[in-house]
Amino acid sequence: MTDEATPASDEARTPEAPSVPAAPRRLPVTDVSLVVLIGTSGSGKSTFARRHFLPTQVVSSDFCRGLVADDENDQSASAEAFDVLHYIVGKRLAAGRLTVVDATNVQPEARRQLVKIARDHDVLPIAIVLDVPPGVCAERNRTRPDRQLPPHVIPRQNRELRRSLRGLEREGFRKVHILRGAAEVAAAGIELEKRYNDLRHLTGPFDVVGDIHGCRSELETLLTRLGYVLTRDAEGRPVDAAHPDGRTAVFVGDLVDRGPDTPGVLRLVMGMVAAGHALCVPGNHENKLGRAMDGKKVTVSHGLQESLDQLAGESEEFRAEVRAFMRGLVSHYLLDGGALVVCHAGLPEKYHGRASGRVRSHALYGETTGETDEYGLPVRYPWAEEYRGRALVVYGHTPVPTAGFVNNTICLDTGAVFGGSLTALRYPERELVSVAAEREWYAPVRPMITDAPGAREGRPLDLADVAGRRIVETGLHGRVAVREENAAAALEVMSRFALDPRLLAYLPPTMAPTATSRRDGFLEHPDEAFAAFRADGVRQVVCEEKHMGSRAVVLVARDEAALEKRFGVAGPGAIWTRTGRAFLSDDALTAAVLGRVRAAAERAGLFEELGTGWLLLDAELMPWSLKAVELLRRQYAAVGAAAGAALPVVLSALEQAAGRGLDVEGLTARQRQRAADAGAFTEAYRRYCWPTEGLSGVRLAPFQVLAAEGANLAVRPHDEHLAWIDRLVDADAAATTSAGGPAAPLLHRTGRLVVDTADEASVAAGVAWWEELTGAGGEGMVVKPLGSLVRTERAEGRPGGLVQPGVKVRGREYLRIIYGPDYTEHLDRLRERALGHKRSLALREYALGLEALDRLAAGEPLWRVHEAVFAVLALESEPVDPRL
């Protein structure tokens, strides 16, 4: 196949100017399509492509030939070059990118492959023909030193072009633009057109209405309940409805057939669409009715006869309007920036915004398994169960008893014409509004099935949701990458040790330590934490006491029904660790803890105040030995026991040596210091251990209310959280003093102090409070921005990066547990510890945790929430010094 090389700049010098300048033409090109340039070598295709399209949008056969042969004119490499070209074109179209093919494309087989690629990716193929006289093309090629074509090539290409001109539309091109002569080519321009289904600029709010099927009275009632004001004509018939708040109705199709008043429904919906108060997509019943009204041969069934009979009583003018309306309906719409897709029968993500017969067919009829049920009706393929798209897909077509979300889809056909109800979804509120049918207008062939999409939970999770390298989009930190090996490690934990993933709505992030202190005798000190937040522009911070326990997430239900409604699991709730494992192996003890928390929340009025049937809490569960008793025995107690056994013997031997006159004073001093350090180490870890029996000795210290129904509370200021927690603690304490109450309080208060980082006295008070805590044997404190979610500021007021949500400042004695009994002798080396990776990890996990809570609050499907939670667990397997 011979192709045009890039024309040289001397193209303008060719003697070709016509006597009369050509009138400029604007060529409409769909914004996502495959544009195929067609013309003989030298017709100016490459110049045309450079002038009107971005360099990245143009895929040139010459360039691809150069890729595989290092020579754009090596015709022997054409087959491999076109393999590369087709591959690149396919990848661009799969990504929804406008793509232009710069090649001669005068041969039918060359175009046939390109049309097939366009169809495979459900985009429109568009042909732009540059019909330039062969003499002009030959002259241009003669002036090019890098290409000398045999004299027969251009005439042959021109003959092939001439034979092709009349049949391009039959080949499958949806638009064909023919530019005749060099002057018309030079004068032409490109006008990008949005796809008919692209209404992303419309952001709502919307009211999406399910299948109506001629139930005009129910439609009036539903619109009125939604707040629309009806407009009637002189005969009292509704011809429009507008919402005073500017909401837009969106109809999912199947307006017609079966019901008592198809013309009335059409009159109202057509009026709303014409007035700009509504949008409408076609259903399969509109498609069939339209063909019947156009005189096409169709099988009259499924209520079509009722519509034809009712429309026969209308004027010819009205029937003509109906035909035009149905012919103009677009298969589906992308709305609200692509976050909402409305169609009739559902649409997988790969078809969103695409345009082809296949897409239209799926939008109208859905997909079937090829089987029929006992009623002789096709079995629908449960595409919604496998849907993983970010856009909410709202559809109808398959009647269900009640509308419900499956993954990020919802079916609104609740069988109004069959005596069910007519349902609308308020968007973005995700609220359902229904009105009962006035009667059964049409007997269904089969009962409304309860296992239809929208009436059952879809398959909850899939390996493909988490396996391999993942990119998770977060609203706070952009794209967070998860490596394949980290995902594999998380999958091992999640599949073998973790709780039911339906309950794991959140995993807490790791926490970075404060910057290393240079103060004599200290590795960590509050001064660095206050200075860091002050540098980030954070004026007020809250210092919270660190407790002697382990991090625990507590999901507590007011009643089992509330938990099952959102999480699909009945029960009192759950308590889990930072890695998703059940915190307590004793189910009875778990239930007892949850029962006390639920009673405290009830007594404190939190369920009522937050309007929720469940609460998600971040907490510390104490003592540390409750979860880590084996770790304490093997790792810490063993060290203390070994030191306690060995060092007295060593000191005794040294004392005997000194008694014999040997100079061992320095060695003895070092060993005495080691013994003192070992004693301090043992005393430090023993503070985290105490005996428990049942609830006796167990303490729970909540410090944040993460979420409730419909609300991500983690972004609220910390003083609000601590006020809620204080009410919980007080309610639990009050229960212990009431008649017949529990023997001892379970909930433990979190000590706190608010510090102004710009006030020296306030900072000094914060340091003194930390010294008091750690001097009494406490672990230390966590310093957090009082306002919780904080960003640094960039120029022009643009949001900057996330500020650390909290840094831990651990006490001098507690750090012996972490770094070893004699760590104070190695402070110079330990001060070189690298904190960058830990800080980065803390921010990424924090953003993922808040993303999970946002998705949970928005009612998004389990797989979307779990995607962010799983990513937190995966990041935990990144190699970081565990002592940080």
Side-chain angles (χ1 to χ4, degrees):
M1 181 179 293
T2 304
D3 285 295
E4 168 195 351
T6 304
S9 60
D10 60 358
E11 173 183 337
R13 298 198 300 269
T14 44
E16 57 189 77
S19 56
V20 179
R25 284 181 56 189
R26 304 294 295 175
L27 310 181
V29 169
T30 307
D31 59 355
V32 178
S33 60
L34 176 62
V35 178
V36 178
L37 301 181
I38 303 172
T40 59
S41 180
S43 59
K45 298 183 299 301
S46 297
T47 301
F48 184 89
R50 280 200 307 272
R51 182 183 302 138
H52 300 295
F53 300 99
L54 297 175
T56 53
Q57 294 173 331
V58 180
V59 185
S60 163
S61 59
D62 286 340
F63 177 76
C64 293
R65 194 178 288 110
L67 285 177
V68 299
D70 291 329
D71 181 0
E72 293 187 354
N73 296 314
D74 185 356
Q75 299 298 314
S76 66
S78 289
E80 292 80 5
F82 276 93
D83 286 342
V84 172
L85 182 145
H86 293 152
Y87 180 81
I88 295 173
V89 168
K91 288 297 183 182
R92 285 188 58 84
L93 295 183
R97 307 291 182 189
L98 173 65
T99 303
V100 181
V101 175
D102 175 15
T104 57
N105 295 314
V106 294
Q107 297 170 327
E109 56 270 25
R111 299 190 296 270
R112 189 177 302 116
Q113 293 183 66
L114 294 172
V115 170
K116 181 181 183 302
I117 294 173
R119 286 176 171 168
D120 288 345
H121 293 89
D122 301 288
V123 301
L124 301 180
I126 298 174
I128 299 180
V129 181
L130 280 63
D131 186 9
V132 176
V136 173
C137 298
E139 179 61 27
R140 289 176 178 175
N141 278 289
R142 275 194 294 272
T143 61
R144 289 190 51 178
D146 60 329
R147 174 175 294 180
Q148 294 298 317
L149 298 177
H152 69 276
V153 170
I154 291 178
R156 187 196 68 207
Q157 291 180 354
N158 188 62
R159 289 193 299 272
E160 292 172 331
L161 177 64
R162 304 253 71 76
R163 286 195 293 266
S164 301
L165 289 180
R166 292 185 178 180
L168 292 175
E169 291 185 353
R170 291 194 299 273
E171 291 179 10
F173 288 100
R174 296 292 296 272
K175 295 179 182 177
V176 177
H177 304 301
I178 301 177
L179 301 173
R180 302 189 184 278
E184 191 167 316
V185 171
I190 297 296
E191 185 173 319
L192 285 182
E193 292 182 333
K194 293 178 64 174
R195 290 152 288 164
Y196 292 132
N197 53 38
D198 184 1
L199 298 183
R200 288 176 293 178
H201 61 285
L202 300 181
T203 58
F206 301 106
D207 298 303
V208 189
V209 180
D211 300 39
I212 302 168
H213 281 299
C215 297
R216 188 261 312 151
S217 180
E218 286 87 343
L219 176 58
E220 289 187 44
T221 303
L222 178 62
L223 290 174
T224 301
R225 185 169 296 180
L226 290 168
Y228 289 78
V229 179
L230 295 170
T231 300
R232 300 182 184 274
D233 62 12
E235 300 178 38
R237 301 174 298 188
V239 294
D240 190 13
H243 199 284
D245 296 333
R247 300 180 70 91
T248 300
V250 187
F251 297 95
V252 303
D254 276 6
L255 311 173
V256 304
D257 293 351
R258 295 178 175 149
D261 193 1
T262 285
V265 172
L266 287 169
R267 185 175 288 107
L268 175 53
V269 172
M270 288 163 54
M272 293 177 68
V273 172
H277 299 146
L279 300 168
C280 185
V281 297
N284 58 302
H285 283 262
E286 279 79 42
N287 184 53
K288 192 172 184 181
L289 174 61
R291 289 188 289 122
M293 293 181 71
D294 286 338
K296 306 258 180 86
K297 185 177 180 180
V298 298
T299 302
V300 179
S301 59
H302 302 298
L304 175 59
Q305 189 62 55
E306 283 79 355
S307 290
L308 293 174
D309 292 342
Q310 292 164 17
L311 286 166
E314 300 291 331
S315 67
E316 179 54 41
E317 179 183 5
F318 179 77
R319 289 197 298 271
E321 291 174 359
V322 169
R323 288 196 297 272
F325 172 73
M326 290 191 292
R327 278 196 296 267
L329 294 176
V330 178
S331 66
H332 70 286
Y333 283 126
L334 275 67
L335 300 163
D336 191 21
L340 174 64
V341 172
V342 178
C343 56
H344 178 62
L347 207 61
E349 187 177 28
K350 64 181 179 179
Y351 293 152
H352 295 179
R354 301 301 173 118
S356 70
R358 175 169 54 188
V359 171
R360 184 174 179 83
S361 176
H362 199 295
L364 287 173
Y365 299 99
E367 186 178 354
T368 64
T369 64
E371 304 169 298
T372 55
D373 60 17
E374 64 270 31
Y375 303 98
L377 297 175
V379 176
R380 305 290 176 191
Y381 184 79
W383 68 275
E385 296 182 8
E386 299 180 354
Y387 182 72
R388 294 296 184 267
R390 296 193 63 184
L392 170 63
V393 179
V394 185
Y395 66 105
H397 188 56
T398 304
V400 293
T402 56
F405 288 94
V406 172
N407 294 321
N408 208 18
T409 76
I410 185 168
C411 176
L412 295 182
D413 183 0
T414 47
V417 76
F418 301 131
S421 61
L422 184 60
T423 299
L425 172 72
R426 290 168 55 85
Y427 177 93
E429 299 88 345
R430 288 187 174 230
E431 296 174 3
L432 293 170
V433 179
S434 296
V435 297
E438 296 179 359
R439 50 165 287 192
E440 182 186 276
W441 298 103
Y442 194 91
V445 175
R446 68 180 173 197
M448 286 189 287
I449 51 177
T450 56
D451 63 341
R456 66 174 184 273
E457 270 298 319
R459 174 168 43 80
L461 292 172
D462 189 277
L463 180 63
D465 296 330
V466 293
R469 186 176 185 273
R470 312 292 301 173
I471 298 292
V472 182
E473 293 280 354
T474 68
L476 293 175
H477 204 60
R479 295 155 63 91
V480 176
V482 176
R483 296 188 182 96
E484 183 174 1
E485 58 269 27
N486 299 137
L491 185 62
E492 173 79 3
V493 173
M494 194 66 73
S495 59
R496 295 185 60 191
F497 307 113
L499 286 176
D500 187 326
R502 290 175 293 178
L503 294 171
L504 288 178
Y506 177 81
L507 287 179
T510 189
M511 183 173 293
T514 186
T516 303
S517 175
R518 295 293 170 180
R519 186 178 292 232
D520 187 37
F522 290 90
L523 187 61
E524 296 178 7
H525 193 272
D527 280 343
E528 283 71 30
F530 296 141
F533 282 118
R534 183 168 61 248
D536 284 331
V538 180
R539 180 72 182 261
Q540 284 192 308
V541 296
V542 60
C543 305
E544 295 182 6
E545 170 192 5
K546 275 185 68 64
H547 299 285
M548 298 178 177
S550 302
R551 193 77 169 267
V553 180
V554 180
L555 174 63
V556 59
R558 190 176 193 179
D559 57 67
E560 293 192 2
L563 200 71
E564 186 171 22
K565 178 182 176 183
R566 179 61 185 97
F567 297 93
V569 180
I575 307 173
W576 61 88
T577 68
R578 288 194 60 245
T579 55
R581 295 168 167 87
F583 195 104
L584 301 169
S585 58
D586 186 340
D587 292 342
L589 181 57
T590 299
V593 172
L594 291 171
R596 289 280 293 274
V597 176
R598 179 177 63 253
E602 196 73 72
R603 189 179 185 118
L606 287 188
F607 288 124
E608 196 70 32
E609 177 181 328
L610 297 174
T612 184
W614 52 267
L615 291 170
L616 191 65
L617 307 175
D618 206 352
E620 287 270 331
L621 193 54
M622 299 172 279
W624 192 16
S625 55
L626 188 65
K627 179 175 78 72
V629 63
E630 288 303 318
L631 175 68
L632 287 164
R633 286 174 180 164
R634 292 194 310 268
Q635 184 167 322
Y636 300 112
V639 172
L647 289 174
V649 175
V650 170
L651 287 171
S652 176
L654 288 171
E655 288 170 358
Q656 293 174 14
R660 294 197 303 270
L662 297 176
D663 183 11
V664 293
E665 182 178 353
L667 181 59
T668 301
R670 285 197 300 275
Q671 296 308 310
R672 283 178 177 155
Q673 182 61 50
R674 290 186 66 194
D677 289 343
F681 171 83
T682 302
E683 184 181 355
Y685 84 74
R686 279 179 175 170
R687 293 192 184 100
Y688 293 82
C689 311
W690 60 79
T692 63
E693 183 176 351
L695 278 180
S696 177
V698 177
R699 300 177 192 168
L700 181 69
F703 51 84
Q704 193 171 25
V705 183
L706 294 166
E709 284 184 50
N712 175 3
L713 302 174
V715 295
R716 300 275 191 93
H718 282 293
D719 52 357
E720 289 188 32
H721 289 276
L722 293 170
W724 286 327
I725 298 304
D726 287 348
R727 287 164 54 188
L728 280 175
V729 173
D730 291 344
D732 185 58
T736 65
T737 59
S738 63
L746 169 72
L747 300 185
H748 188 73
R749 188 176 185 272
T750 294
R752 83 294 305 261
L753 178 71
V754 175
V755 171
D756 184 338
T757 61
D759 184 307
E760 291 185 8
S762 183
V763 168
V767 172
W769 189 66
W770 176 80
E771 290 173 343
E772 180 184 348
L773 285 175
T774 56
E779 180 176 332
M781 68 185 184
V782 177
V783 184
K784 305 175 180 179
L786 184 62
S788 189
L789 176 62
V790 179
R791 287 184 179 276
T792 58
E793 287 297 322
R794 287 183 180 173
E796 301 177 0
R798 290 179 299 159
L802 283 174
V803 170
Q804 287 288 348
V807 294
K808 55 190 176 184
V809 188
R810 295 167 289 184
R812 188 171 185 268
E813 293 307 312
Y814 171 78
L815 287 173
R816 291 190 191 280
I817 304 175
I818 305 303
Y819 286 101
D822 56 353
Y823 87 101
T824 51
E825 298 179 19
H826 309 286
L827 286 180
D828 288 340
R829 179 167 55 84
L830 290 175
R831 285 187 175 115
E832 303 306 316
R833 60 184 186 167
L835 299 179
H837 191 182
K838 181 75 169 182
R839 288 172 173 167
S840 167
L841 191 63
L843 286 178
R844 284 179 284 151
E845 291 186 7
Y846 174 60
L848 287 165
L850 290 186
E851 182 68 22
L853 295 177
D854 279 339
R855 296 178 182 185
L856 178 71
E860 295 198 33
L862 168 64
W863 74 268
R864 285 273 294 159
V865 178
H866 191 68
E867 178 185 45
V869 174
F870 187 91
V872 174
L873 184 59
L875 292 185
E876 276 296 295
S877 62
E878 287 193 4
V880 178
D881 184 348
R883 300 172 298 178
L884 295 178

